[in-house]
Amino acid sequence: MDLRIGFGYDVHRLVEDRKLILGGVEIPYARGLAGHSDADVLVHGIMDALLGAAGEGDIGRHFPDTDQEYKGISSLLLLERVGGIIAKAGYAVGNIDSVVVAQAPKLAGYIAQMEENIAFALGTEKGNVNVKATTTEGLGFAGTGQGIASYAVAIIVKKLPG
């Protein structure tokens, strides 16, 4: 069986007058993430992990922030496109493990929906997607509430012919 692994990381600054979208879920919070798209830091990290595993570069290469087509776009739509890129390369999602790093808001109540959204966008089983959340105990930019980060690893498997 041909397995490949990829790693993704993303970070966005928290700002006023933006919705907070993580894993395709709008989370009630006083601030949201700054970015060209919906700035879904979790999905961005996952996209980079999948693209890296397939040897297909990163999200900036496929969806540049200089292209108006992607202004305000849902990151779940971009994730669907990444699923198409890895499928065209002959691979399917094996599994994804990810973590959101944020001091606030608390995310535990939203994680199941995030996993479902991500799995649906990729056409894979929910059990293939794992999302965790952690704080930094008040340390660093995430701990002081300046931004949110995400890390992800993804395994993709070569699809069998036919």
Side-chain angles (χ1 to χ4, degrees):
M1 181 184 291
D2 185 10
L3 297 174
R4 296 185 65 152
I5 188 167
F7 174 77
Y9 169 76
D10 197 36
V11 62
H12 285 273
R13 181 179 42 241
L14 282 163
V15 295
E16 301 291 327
D17 300 319
R18 287 279 295 203
K19 292 179 181 179
L20 178 59
I21 310 289
L22 293 171
V25 177
E26 185 175 336
I27 298 168
Y29 194 58
R31 295 179 293 154
L33 294 169
H36 187 67
S37 66
D38 65 4
D40 188 329
V41 70
L42 171 60
V43 172
H44 292 183
I46 290 169
M47 289 191 302
D48 268 349
L50 290 166
L51 289 168
E56 291 289 338
D58 62 16
I59 60 175
R61 178 170 132 194
H62 293 275
F63 315 110
D65 64 6
T66 54
D67 190 330
Q68 289 304 304
E69 176 185 354
Y70 307 118
K71 182 148 181 68
I73 196 169
S74 166
S75 293
L76 287 178
L77 179 58
L78 298 179
L79 183 61
E80 285 180 33
R81 293 181 188 179
V82 167
I85 291 167
I86 66 168
K88 186 177 178 184
Y91 290 91
V93 173
N95 79 299
I96 296 165
D97 189 29
S98 59
V99 62
V100 177
V101 183
Q103 198 64 36
K106 296 294 183 193
L107 301 175
Y110 304 99
I111 287 176
Q113 185 62 55
M114 291 177 195
E115 291 170 343
E116 189 172 305
N117 292 347
I118 292 161
F120 182 79
L122 290 168
T124 191
E125 296 175 26
K126 185 178 174 186
N128 292 338
V129 179
N130 190 58
V131 174
K132 303 178 294 285
T134 191
T135 70
T136 60
E137 302 294 328
L139 299 173
F141 70 87
T144 60
Q146 294 175 294
I148 295 177
S150 76
Y151 298 88
V153 292
I155 291 178
I156 58 175
V157 295
K158 195 72 164 172
K159 292 190 292 187
L160 298 174

